[in-house]
Amino acid sequence: MNLFTGEYNNTIDEKGRVSFPTKLRSVMDQNVLIVTKGLDRCLWLFTANEWETFQSKLMNNASMMKSKSLSVVRHFIAPAQSVEFDKTGRLSIPQSLREYANLSKECTVLGIARYMELWDMQTYKDYLAASDDIFHEAAEEFNDINF
């Protein structure tokens, strides 16, 4: 399995197209990504295989009779769209997803091993600044990782 890694700053044009980093595209075996709402006002991008795994696990653990489960399913599954790369390696992000993530001109693409995130650059900077204390607390909980 190829893993996505790296942090890339890019721009999104007025039509909602973002040039996707070549290093990330080279890891993929398909010309399509599934794009959906993520957490913290970013978008999550999956290959078809990883999307199938994610949505299957989500649906298998959700109950249609529990409002919290339905809320999570509706947040991730309902807005998901398949987006194909154009000939120049750009993805056209659907308007509703651009609005959710506040995507404007500058954006950041993150490789997170098995999926990717697309952030408005300023939103990502604000998130990093606001979550610094939480990060340090969470990192201390990973006490089983030794070098």
Side-chain angles (χ1 to χ4, degrees):
M1 171 193 346
N2 295 324
L3 300 177
F4 300 107
T5 59
E7 181 175 319
Y8 309 88
N9 294 323
N10 215 325
T11 57
I12 190 163
D13 69 16
E14 64 281 347
K15 294 182 180 179
R17 297 175 300 198
V18 60
S19 293
F20 219 69
T22 304
K23 286 186 179 183
L24 293 178
R25 280 197 333 266
S26 69
V27 176
M28 297 187 299
D29 58 0
Q30 298 173 351
N31 200 34
V32 173
L33 289 175
I34 310 302
V35 182
T36 194
K37 293 177 180 178
L39 296 175
D40 303 312
R41 292 287 177 186
C42 74
L43 300 179
W44 287 350
L45 300 93
F46 295 88
T47 62
N49 291 339
E50 288 298 331
W51 173 252
E52 180 60 34
T53 300
F54 172 76
Q55 68 88 25
S56 178
K57 286 180 181 180
L58 187 63
M59 294 304 293
N60 287 336
N61 286 295
S63 169
M64 291 176 57
M65 300 302 167
K66 294 182 180 177
S67 62
K68 287 182 180 179
S69 288
L70 286 173
S71 178
V72 171
V73 167
R74 288 175 181 143
H75 179 86
F76 296 119
I77 304 296
Q81 297 188 42
S82 178
V83 180
E84 195 169 336
F85 287 99
D86 68 12
K87 294 175 184 173
T88 61
R90 296 178 300 186
L91 279 181
S92 184
I93 306 299
Q95 178 69 28
S96 61
L97 294 173
R98 288 196 319 263
E99 289 173 4
Y100 168 79
N102 300 315
L103 292 175
S104 54
K105 182 82 174 146
E106 296 184 346
C107 60
T108 300
V109 179
L110 303 175
I112 314 284
R114 296 170 67 169
Y115 75 102
M116 293 158 284
E117 293 182 346
L118 178 60
W119 289 79
D120 171 77
M121 187 182 293
Q122 188 58 53
T123 302
Y124 183 59
K125 288 177 181 179
D126 293 345
Y127 165 80
L128 289 175
S131 65
D132 195 50
D133 289 340
I134 295 169
F135 164 74
H136 287 285
E137 289 175 23
E140 288 179 7
E141 293 178 15
F142 283 89
N143 58 1
D144 292 337
I145 298 175
N146 297 306
F147 292 98

